[in-house]
Amino acid sequence: MMSKRRKKRNKTSMLKAIGGLILFFIIVSIIFGGEDDEAKSKPKDTKVESVETTAKSNDSINKVETETKEDPESKPKDNSTTIHPTDTIDFNGSTYKVIVVDGGDKSGGRQPNVAVDIGFGDREYWAFTNEYGQLINVIASKITLQDDATEPVTSKGRYYNDEAKVPGVERDDLDEGHIIADSLGGVSNAYNITPQDSTMNRHGDQAYMEKVIRDAGGCENFIATITYPDTTTQIPSHYHYEYLLNGQPVADDFDNVNPDEANAEINQQENQPPSDANAESNPTAQSNDISSVDTNGDGQVTIKEAKAAGYSMPIYSDSWLYPYMDDRDGDGMVGE
């Protein structure tokens, strides 16, 4: 029989061997189990990371494309680069060569048959000349008022310190009159200036029209037509304006004259007694023969007698018959 000590030693060795095997399997399981989990997780992580990267890349491309695309309508108009001397514009059945003129150019000459943008800043107002260099039309699809908060304006409300010296403005009674005023966004070169009566420009029809447009906040479909007495002068004789004011059509017409003098002359004509046309056609009346009118021979002419002789009423104080008639109210008229 095996001794008890030997049995005990064999049992201990067996336990150690079994423990070693168990430890071995545990270690192997841990090692291979960790690798499988890691292997399973790697493709998933890689895929997500790739999608996120692609999305970011696409966002970057879209952003670049958005930033680099240009909207031509959103770019401010620059006459010096976008309009060239070889361009032309068709207006009112005629073709005009487009030229660029500085808004503050004070020279008074104009080229014939040309179109010039006379709008300050981004405004687009077009002026047209005829074959004699006369300014004949100015148009604007929309009049935009001057903004002294964002635009360079002088203390007098001007874009420029002076206006073009168009022939004729040297006269004391004529101003450098804007077709489209500074307050309405117009420049001061010769393609927006005409010699205009000072009173009309400052206090008359021109000034009133500009005030109406300012009070309305601007207007649309603006067309100015300027006419002249002959082909040699740069001083207009008449202005005709058409525009939409708050959607309503407006037409303004006025001569290039002093309105105060013109109104005084009209009033004088209206108050002047009419000429006696019957007297001119009546030989008897022209002879100033009282007996031909005073039928009863009393030396006085009644209204009835004057009418019978062919005179129309009233008879004014400058008529030869007046001294022979009875002006009871003393107003210089009989038979009113």
Side-chain angles (χ1 to χ4, degrees):
M1 289 183 63
M2 189 180 299
S3 64
K4 292 181 178 181
R5 182 178 294 177
R6 188 175 179 182
K7 287 181 179 179
K8 186 175 182 180
R9 186 182 302 160
N10 291 339
K11 186 177 180 179
T12 302
S13 300
M14 186 178 296
L15 290 174
K16 289 182 178 179
I18 292 171
L21 287 172
I22 292 172
L23 180 61
F24 173 77
F25 283 114
I26 291 173
I27 293 171
V28 170
S29 176
I30 291 173
I31 293 172
F32 285 96
E35 289 178 353
D36 289 343
D37 291 341
E38 184 179 358
K40 291 178 182 178
S41 64
K42 280 185 178 180
K44 183 178 180 181
D45 292 343
T46 304
K47 183 177 181 181
V48 172
E49 185 177 351
S50 175
V51 170
E52 290 177 350
T53 302
T54 303
K56 289 179 181 179
S57 299
N58 289 338
D59 288 343
S60 300
I61 292 171
N62 292 335
K63 184 177 181 181
V64 170
E65 290 178 347
T66 302
E67 291 176 348
T68 56
K69 286 181 179 179
E70 294 181 350
D71 182 1
E73 296 182 357
S74 67
K75 294 178 66 178
K77 176 176 62 65
D78 182 357
N79 288 348
S80 62
T81 58
T82 60
I83 297 180
H84 306 284
T86 55
D87 291 341
T88 59
I89 290 180
D90 293 329
F91 172 70
N92 204 23
S94 300
T95 299
Y96 298 86
K97 177 183 176 182
V98 175
I99 64 172
V100 179
V101 180
D102 185 80
D105 185 359
K106 292 189 290 186
S107 62
R110 305 191 197 100
Q111 294 187 35
N113 299 318
V114 296
V116 177
D117 186 354
I118 59 167
F120 187 85
D122 293 337
R123 298 171 182 83
E124 192 167 306
Y125 305 160
W126 288 101
F128 302 90
T129 62
N130 61 13
E131 62 269 36
Y132 308 107
Q134 295 171 323
L135 178 62
I136 55 172
N137 288 111
V138 173
I139 64 172
S141 60
K142 181 179 181 181
I143 294 292
T144 303
L145 303 187
Q146 180 188 94
D147 187 352
D148 56 6
T150 60
E151 295 180 320
V153 180
T154 69
S155 59
K156 295 182 179 180
R158 303 287 188 182
Y159 291 120
Y160 306 94
N161 291 321
D162 204 355
E163 293 81 22
K165 305 308 174 186
V166 178
V169 300
E170 67 277 1
R171 278 175 39 179
D172 293 337
D173 61 331
L174 298 179
D175 280 350
E176 296 98 336
H178 291 72
I179 301 301
I180 300 182
D182 280 87
S183 61
L184 306 182
V187 299
S188 296
N189 61 38
Y191 296 86
N192 191 35
I193 295 294
T194 60
Q196 194 171 73
D197 181 84
S198 300
T199 303
M200 185 185 72
N201 180 47
R202 303 176 193 182
H203 313 293
D205 292 322
Q206 181 78 25
Y208 179 74
M209 180 194 70
E210 294 166 0
K211 181 181 183 302
V212 168
I213 295 176
R214 283 197 303 272
D215 291 346
C219 68
E220 297 178 339
N221 296 353
F222 179 94
I223 301 178
T225 303
I226 304 102
T227 54
Y228 300 80
D230 54 58
T231 59
T232 62
T233 183
Q234 295 297 331
I235 304 175
S237 55
H238 188 80
Y239 298 89
H240 174 75
Y241 293 94
E242 295 181 14
Y243 49 94
L244 289 179
L245 196 70
N246 295 324
Q248 299 299 316
V250 177
D252 290 324
D253 277 278
F254 42 87
D255 293 329
N256 190 16
V257 297
N258 185 317
D260 294 339
E261 295 177 358
N263 291 334
E265 183 177 350
I266 291 173
N267 292 334
Q268 183 179 2
Q269 292 175 353
E270 290 178 348
N271 294 329
Q272 183 177 357
S275 60
D276 197 336
N278 291 325
E280 295 178 1
S281 61
N282 190 328
T284 303
Q286 288 182 356
S287 66
N288 296 344
D289 183 4
I290 187 63
S291 62
S292 64
V293 182
D294 179 19
T295 56
N296 62 6
D298 64 355
Q300 291 291 315
V301 176
T302 65
I303 293 175
K304 182 178 179 181
E305 289 174 332
K307 286 183 177 180
Y311 290 90
S312 59
M313 296 299 111
I315 300 297
Y316 291 94
S317 59
D318 61 347
S319 172
W320 75 273
L321 274 178
Y322 180 81
Y324 300 99
M325 301 187 74
D326 184 13
D327 183 6
R328 295 182 181 181
D329 55 8
D331 62 354
M333 293 184 292
V334 178
E336 67 272 29

PDB file of all heavy atoms in Angstrom, residues 110-114 129-134 191:
ATOM      1  N   ARG A 110     -22.359 118.439 -74.840  1.00  0.00           N
ATOM      2  CA  ARG A 110     -22.956 117.108 -74.940  1.00  0.00           C
ATOM      3  C   ARG A 110     -22.653 116.517 -76.309  1.00  0.00           C
ATOM      4  O   ARG A 110     -22.577 117.243 -77.302  1.00  0.00           O
ATOM      5  CB  ARG A 110     -24.470 117.147 -74.763  1.00  0.00           C
ATOM      6  CG  ARG A 110     -24.974 117.802 -73.495  1.00  0.00           C
ATOM      7  CD  ARG A 110     -26.469 117.510 -73.333  1.00  0.00           C
ATOM      8  NE  ARG A 110     -27.091 118.421 -72.385  1.00  0.00           N
ATOM      9  CZ  ARG A 110     -27.801 119.481 -72.723  1.00  0.00           C
ATOM     10  NH1 ARG A 110     -27.971 119.765 -74.017  1.00  0.00           N
ATOM     11  NH2 ARG A 110     -28.340 120.259 -71.810  1.00  0.00           N
ATOM     12  N   GLN A 111     -22.509 115.209 -76.364  1.00  0.00           N
ATOM     13  CA  GLN A 111     -22.339 114.529 -77.636  1.00  0.00           C
ATOM     14  C   GLN A 111     -23.707 114.243 -78.245  1.00  0.00           C
ATOM     15  O   GLN A 111     -24.687 114.032 -77.525  1.00  0.00           O
ATOM     16  CB  GLN A 111     -21.571 113.219 -77.445  1.00  0.00           C
ATOM     17  CG  GLN A 111     -20.127 113.389 -77.001  1.00  0.00           C
ATOM     18  CD  GLN A 111     -19.375 112.081 -76.996  1.00  0.00           C
ATOM     19  OE1 GLN A 111     -19.608 111.209 -77.841  1.00  0.00           O
ATOM     20  NE2 GLN A 111     -18.458 111.939 -76.054  1.00  0.00           N
ATOM     21  N   PRO A 112     -23.799 114.204 -79.568  1.00  0.00           N
ATOM     22  CA  PRO A 112     -25.092 113.920 -80.216  1.00  0.00           C
ATOM     23  C   PRO A 112     -25.414 112.431 -80.220  1.00  0.00           C
ATOM     24  O   PRO A 112     -24.522 111.578 -80.252  1.00  0.00           O
ATOM     25  CB  PRO A 112     -24.880 114.436 -81.643  1.00  0.00           C
ATOM     26  CG  PRO A 112     -23.407 114.288 -81.870  1.00  0.00           C
ATOM     27  CD  PRO A 112     -22.755 114.558 -80.551  1.00  0.00           C
ATOM     28  N   ASN A 113     -26.706 112.131 -80.151  1.00  0.00           N
ATOM     29  CA  ASN A 113     -27.212 110.760 -80.286  1.00  0.00           C
ATOM     30  C   ASN A 113     -26.565 109.781 -79.316  1.00  0.00           C
ATOM     31  O   ASN A 113     -26.155 108.686 -79.701  1.00  0.00           O
ATOM     32  CB  ASN A 113     -27.028 110.268 -81.722  1.00  0.00           C
ATOM     33  CG  ASN A 113     -27.790 111.107 -82.728  1.00  0.00           C
ATOM     34  OD1 ASN A 113     -28.928 111.487 -82.499  1.00  0.00           O
ATOM     35  ND2 ASN A 113     -27.146 111.416 -83.854  1.00  0.00           N
ATOM     36  N   VAL A 114     -26.468 110.171 -78.064  1.00  0.00           N
ATOM     37  CA  VAL A 114     -25.875 109.287 -77.059  1.00  0.00           C
ATOM     38  C   VAL A 114     -26.838 109.095 -75.892  1.00  0.00           C
ATOM     39  O   VAL A 114     -27.789 109.860 -75.699  1.00  0.00           O
ATOM     40  CB  VAL A 114     -24.532 109.846 -76.527  1.00  0.00           C
ATOM     41  CG1 VAL A 114     -23.495 109.908 -77.630  1.00  0.00           C
ATOM     42  CG2 VAL A 114     -24.722 111.207 -75.860  1.00  0.00           C
ATOM     43  N   THR A 129     -29.730 112.322 -76.044  1.00  0.00           N
ATOM     44  CA  THR A 129     -29.564 113.550 -76.816  1.00  0.00           C
ATOM     45  C   THR A 129     -29.944 113.310 -78.276  1.00  0.00           C
ATOM     46  O   THR A 129     -29.900 112.168 -78.765  1.00  0.00           O
ATOM     47  CB  THR A 129     -28.119 114.061 -76.756  1.00  0.00           C
ATOM     48  OG1 THR A 129     -27.246 113.074 -77.351  1.00  0.00           O
ATOM     49  CG2 THR A 129     -27.691 114.316 -75.317  1.00  0.00           C
ATOM     50  N   ASN A 130     -30.286 114.394 -78.977  1.00  0.00           N
ATOM     51  CA  ASN A 130     -30.581 114.276 -80.406  1.00  0.00           C
ATOM     52  C   ASN A 130     -29.333 114.577 -81.227  1.00  0.00           C
ATOM     53  O   ASN A 130     -28.230 114.716 -80.680  1.00  0.00           O
ATOM     54  CB  ASN A 130     -31.747 115.195 -80.796  1.00  0.00           C
ATOM     55  CG  ASN A 130     -31.439 116.668 -80.545  1.00  0.00           C
ATOM     56  OD1 ASN A 130     -30.294 117.054 -80.298  1.00  0.00           O
ATOM     57  ND2 ASN A 130     -32.466 117.502 -80.609  1.00  0.00           N
ATOM     58  N   GLU A 131     -29.504 114.704 -82.517  1.00  0.00           N
ATOM     59  CA  GLU A 131     -28.348 114.909 -83.397  1.00  0.00           C
ATOM     60  C   GLU A 131     -27.696 116.268 -83.209  1.00  0.00           C
ATOM     61  O   GLU A 131     -26.581 116.498 -83.693  1.00  0.00           O
ATOM     62  CB  GLU A 131     -28.753 114.724 -84.869  1.00  0.00           C
ATOM     63  CG  GLU A 131     -29.785 115.707 -85.376  1.00  0.00           C
ATOM     64  CD  GLU A 131     -31.211 115.187 -85.209  1.00  0.00           C
ATOM     65  OE1 GLU A 131     -31.488 114.500 -84.203  1.00  0.00           O
ATOM     66  OE2 GLU A 131     -32.035 115.472 -86.100  1.00  0.00           O
ATOM     67  N   TYR A 132     -28.355 117.181 -82.501  1.00  0.00           N
ATOM     68  CA  TYR A 132     -27.791 118.510 -82.248  1.00  0.00           C
ATOM     69  C   TYR A 132     -27.182 118.619 -80.843  1.00  0.00           C
ATOM     70  O   TYR A 132     -26.788 119.710 -80.434  1.00  0.00           O
ATOM     71  CB  TYR A 132     -28.872 119.573 -82.426  1.00  0.00           C
ATOM     72  CG  TYR A 132     -29.600 119.460 -83.745  1.00  0.00           C
ATOM     73  CD1 TYR A 132     -30.915 118.985 -83.789  1.00  0.00           C
ATOM     74  CD2 TYR A 132     -28.980 119.790 -84.958  1.00  0.00           C
ATOM     75  CE1 TYR A 132     -31.587 118.860 -84.995  1.00  0.00           C
ATOM     76  CE2 TYR A 132     -29.648 119.653 -86.155  1.00  0.00           C
ATOM     77  CZ  TYR A 132     -30.949 119.184 -86.171  1.00  0.00           C
ATOM     78  OH  TYR A 132     -31.609 119.063 -87.377  1.00  0.00           O
ATOM     79  N   GLY A 133     -27.126 117.517 -80.134  1.00  0.00           N
ATOM     80  CA  GLY A 133     -26.577 117.525 -78.783  1.00  0.00           C
ATOM     81  C   GLY A 133     -27.537 118.097 -77.752  1.00  0.00           C
ATOM     82  O   GLY A 133     -27.130 118.390 -76.619  1.00  0.00           O
ATOM     83  N   GLN A 134     -28.794 118.272 -78.133  1.00  0.00           N
ATOM     84  CA  GLN A 134     -29.790 118.769 -77.186  1.00  0.00           C
ATOM     85  C   GLN A 134     -30.337 117.612 -76.338  1.00  0.00           C
ATOM     86  O   GLN A 134     -30.599 116.520 -76.854  1.00  0.00           O
ATOM     87  CB  GLN A 134     -30.944 119.444 -77.932  1.00  0.00           C
ATOM     88  CG  GLN A 134     -30.536 120.709 -78.686  1.00  0.00           C
ATOM     89  CD  GLN A 134     -31.640 121.222 -79.588  1.00  0.00           C
ATOM     90  OE1 GLN A 134     -32.366 120.457 -80.201  1.00  0.00           O
ATOM     91  NE2 GLN A 134     -31.754 122.540 -79.692  1.00  0.00           N
ATOM     92  N   TYR A 191     -25.826 116.095 -68.948  1.00  0.00           N
ATOM     93  CA  TYR A 191     -26.891 115.229 -69.435  1.00  0.00           C
ATOM     94  C   TYR A 191     -28.079 115.178 -68.470  1.00  0.00           C
ATOM     95  O   TYR A 191     -29.044 114.447 -68.711  1.00  0.00           O
ATOM     96  CB  TYR A 191     -26.337 113.825 -69.708  1.00  0.00           C
ATOM     97  CG  TYR A 191     -25.314 113.845 -70.819  1.00  0.00           C
ATOM     98  CD1 TYR A 191     -23.968 114.120 -70.560  1.00  0.00           C
ATOM     99  CD2 TYR A 191     -25.686 113.645 -72.146  1.00  0.00           C
ATOM    100  CE1 TYR A 191     -23.027 114.167 -71.579  1.00  0.00           C
ATOM    101  CE2 TYR A 191     -24.748 113.694 -73.173  1.00  0.00           C
ATOM    102  CZ  TYR A 191     -23.431 113.956 -72.881  1.00  0.00           C
ATOM    103  OH  TYR A 191     -22.497 114.000 -73.899  1.00  0.00           O
TER     104      TYR A 191
END
